[in-house]
Amino acid sequence: MMNRRRQHDGDDDSYEHRNRKRRRVSENQEIEDRLESLILRVGERSTSSVESNLEGLVSVLEADLGTFRLKILRILSECAVKMPEKCTIYTTLVGLLNAKNYKFGGEFVDHMVKTFKESLKLCRWDAARYSLRFLADLVNCHVISATSLLQLLDTMIDVSNEDTVPQVRRDWYVFAVLSTLPWVGRDLYEKKESSLESLLLRIEVYLNKRSKKHHNALRVWSVDAPHPQEEYLDCLWAQIRKLRQDNWAEKHIPRPYLAFDSILCEALQHNLPQIVPPTHHESYEYPMPSVVYRMFDYTDCPDGPNLPGAHSIERFLIEEHLHHIIEMHHLERKDCAAQLLDFPYKSKIPLEYCIVEVIFAELFHMPTPRYIDIVYGSILIELCKLHPATLPQVLAQATEILFMRIDSMNTSCFDRFVNWFSYHLSNFKFTWSWEEWDSCLLLDTEHPRPKFIQEVLQKCLRLSYHQRIMEMMPETYAKLLPVPSQPNYKYASEEAGSLAGTQVAHQLVVAIRQKCSPEEVINILKELPNSGENSDQEMSDSSFNPLKIDVFVQTLLNLGSKSFSHSFAAVSKFHLVFKALAESEEAQICILHNVFELWQNHQQMMVVIIDKLLKIQIVDCSAVATWIFSKEMTGEFTKMYLWEILHLTIKKMNKHVIKLSNELNDAKEKFAKADSSSSDSEDEATPKRKKPVTVVDKPTEEMVERMEEKLEAANVDQKRLFLIVFQRFIMILSEHLVRSDTDGRDPDTDWYRWTVGRLQQVFLMHHEQVQKYSGTLETLLFTSDLDSHILEVFHQFVALRA
C-alpha cells in the first residue's frame, strides 16, 4: 500500500513537471509566432511610419535574440527571398540589429550566404537572384563591405568566360549581376568607381560576343515598329547604361536606411567569404532567354503621370515588381487584381497601362506563358470590375493595338490572343464595336485579321450558342460566321439510296436503339462487302475494311450526337467494336476521317471525340499526326482547332513518357533503399526515421527491367511522333517553296506564314521533350541541304538552350 502511495506522489511531481514543460513550450511557440508575425508585417500599411515601425521591431528582436536567435535568422533570410519587394525594409532591419549586435550581424551574413549558395546549387534561380540583391543592399546598410561585394560580383562575371557550358548559364550570371546593380550601384560608384567600371566593361565585352540566334523565335511580333522587340539582356544593359549616365540615381526603390544613416555608419562591417559558383552539371536547367514585351509608350497614355521610357531603370523595376505580384497571387484572381491596383508607387506612373502591358507580356511570353491562359483572362476581368471607369478603356485600347498589329504577330501569340479575347467577350455579354474593324472584310480570309475574327467567333460558339453569335454580329460579317454545328450524316441524306452501306446503317440504327451488344454490332457489320484495296485477299472479320468503319463510326456517333456525354457513352459502350476495327494505323486514320466527315461543322466535338479516342487507345498518336497532314485535311490546315488536336496529341504522348519515367525512377529508388536498409544495422533507427521499405513495397529486379522496357518503347513512340510531324512539315513547306519558285511567285503567302508559324509552335510548345531528339532531328531531317527558311526555325529552337 505504502509503495503504491509513494509512486502516486512521484507521479504528481512528474505530472507538474510535464505540465510546466508543456506550458513553457507553448509560451515559446506563442512568442515565436508573434515574432514571425511582427517581422512579416513590418513596413506594411499602418498609422505609423516605416522608420518608427522598424525602431520598435528592433528593440523587440534585440530583447529576444538570446532565446530565439535561430528562429529570427531563419525568418529574416526567408523574407529576403520570398518578399523581394520589401528587400530594403529588411536590409535596414538587419543593419540596425548589426549596429547593436555585431555578432548577430555576422551570423546573419553567414546564413544569407548559405541560402545564396544553396539556391545556386539547387537551381532556384529567382531565390538566388533575390539573395544576391539582399547581400548587395546590405552594403548600403553598412553590414557588408563594398570591396567584398565587388569580389563576389566579379566571381559571378567570371562564369561568362567559362568554355563548353551552355550560353544560358553565362547569361543568367550576367543577368543576376546587372539586375542587382540598381540597388547598390550608387554606393559602389561613390566608394569604388574604378572597380565598378571594370566590372561593367567585362559585362559589355560578354554581351557583344554572345549569340542571339534565339531572338527571333521569342518575339511576339516579327517587326520592330513601333516598339523594338528587344532581347532581355540587351534591354537591361541599355537600362543600366542609362542609370550610369544619371549617376546611378533612380526614383523607384524605397531606401528606409537613409533615415538611420547616423546609426548605421558607426556600425562595423563584415566581409563576405569567397563564394565560388557551383560548376555546371548537365542536369542543371537554367532560365531561358526572353524578349522584353512592349505595347505602350508615353504617347498612348492620356494626361497624368508619364510612362517611364523603355530604357529607364524605373521601367525594369516596375515591371519586375508587377510580375512578382502576379506570381505571388495568381491563384486568387481577386487578391491579385487588388494587389496590382494597390501598387505602392501608383501616383507616379500610369498604373493601368503598366498592369495591362505586364499581363499581356505574361500571356504572350515565349516559348510558353508561366500559367494557363485563363489565369490572365480572369485577373483582367477582376481588374475591370475594380476600376470600371478606367481599366476597360485601357484594355479596349490594348485590344485595338493588338488587332492592328496582328499581321506580324507570332502564331502562338495569335492563338493566345484569340483564346483571351473570346473568353473576355463571353464575360461582358459579347459586346464589342465590330463596325470599327469592317476594313478587314475586304481582305482575303486567310489574312490574319479576318482569320482572327473567324477564330474568335468559333471560340465564342464554344462559350455560347449559334443563335447568340448570329445576333451579336453585324450582317456585313456574314462570310466569317460559323455554320450551325449539325452532324452531317450521309446515310440519312438524299443520296443515301445510292450508297453501299445504307441498308446496313439502317439495320445498325435499329439494333443500337434496341440496346444490342458489341458482338451483335460486329455480326451486323459482317454483311458489308470489303471495298478496301486488299479486298481480293483472304481477310479475317476484323481486318481493315473502310466500309465497315464508315458505317459503324458515322452511325454510332450520329446516334450519340445530342451531347458530348452521349457521344462518350456511345464510344465507351462499343469500345470492343472500335478495337476490332482499328487494328492498323490505316484503319485508325479511316476512323478519324469519318469523325471529320460527320462533324466537320462542329470543331469542338471533333476535338473532344479525338481526345477520347486517344485516351481509350482506339487511335495512336502517330495516326492522328498522319491524318492531320493528309490531303483531305488541306482545307482545314490553317484552322486553329486542327492544331489544338495536334498539341493535345503530343501532350498525351509526352505525359505518358514522363509518367513512365517517374515510375521507373521511383522503383529504382525503392529498390536501392530496400537494399541499403536490409544491410543497415538496426541500432541506427530513430523515432524520426522514415518507415523502412518493406518487402511488399520493394520492386523486384524483373519489375524494374519491365518498366525500363516500357519506357524505352514509349520513347521510341515519342521520337516517331516527332519525326512524323516534322517530316510532314518539311515536305509541305518544301513543295510550296519549289512550286513558288517554278511559277515565279512570291512564296511569302498567308498560308506559308501560318504553316511556318505552326512548325515553330510545335518546337516551342514542346521544347522540353523535343530537345531530347534534337540530335536525331538534325541528322535525319534538318540537314544542311534543306531550304534556309525551314532550317532557320530549327536553328533558333536549338539556340534556346545552347
Side-chain angles (χ1 to χ4, degrees), residues 153-166:
L153 298 182
D154 257 321
T155 312
M156 290 188 72
I157 297 302
D158 286 344
V159 173
S160 69
N161 293 324
E162 289 177 358
D163 294 328
T164 67
V165 298

Side-chain angles (χ1 to χ4, degrees), residues 458 461-462 485-487 557-568 571 595-596 598-613 641 644-645 648:
Q458 279 287 356
L461 190 56
R462 297 189 188 189
S485 318
Q486 299 300 328
L557 292 180
N558 185 54
L559 285 170
S561 64
K562 198 171 173 187
S563 70
F564 297 145
S565 312
H566 286 77
S567 297
F568 288 169
V571 171
V595 172
F596 171 67
L598 180 76
W599 277 126
Q600 56 190 303
N601 293 333
H602 195 334
Q603 296 181 356
Q604 192 179 9
M605 186 62 97
M606 274 191 278
V607 173
V608 296
I609 287 178
I610 291 169
D611 186 40
K612 179 75 172 171
L613 294 174
Y641 85 91
E644 190 182 342
I645 292 172
L648 75 84

Side-chain angles (χ1 to χ4, degrees), residues 1-9:
M1 191 73 186
M2 280 293 286
N3 228 351
R4 270 167 65 193
R5 174 79 194 216
R6 199 174 292 134
Q7 218 173 347
H8 184 71
D9 283 348

Side-chain angles (χ1 to χ4, degrees), residues 489-491 500-502 504-505 508 512 519-532 539-557 577-578 580-583 587 590-591 594:
Y489 182 52
K490 62 182 175 189
Y491 295 113
T502 303
V504 175
L508 197 56
I512 292 173
E519 290 74 16
E520 288 170 85
V521 168
I522 290 173
N523 276 333
I524 295 170
L525 293 173
K526 271 184 187 168
E527 295 177 30
L528 289 167
N530 190 347
S531 58
M539 301 281 282
S540 68
D541 294 337
S542 64
S543 284
F544 177 46
N545 177 338
L547 191 55
K548 273 187 187 181
I549 290 174
D550 193 312
V551 170
F552 170 68
V553 173
Q554 299 224 13
T555 304
L556 181 72
L557 292 180
V577 185
F578 274 108
L581 293 172
E583 276 206 329
C590 185
I591 289 174
N594 280 287

Side-chain angles (χ1 to χ4, degrees), residues 665-676 693 697-699:
N665 290 337
D666 283 353
K668 279 181 172 172
E669 259 178 46
K670 277 184 182 168
F671 189 73
K673 253 191 207 150
D675 268 7
S676 65
V693 180
D697 286 338
K698 182 191 166 183

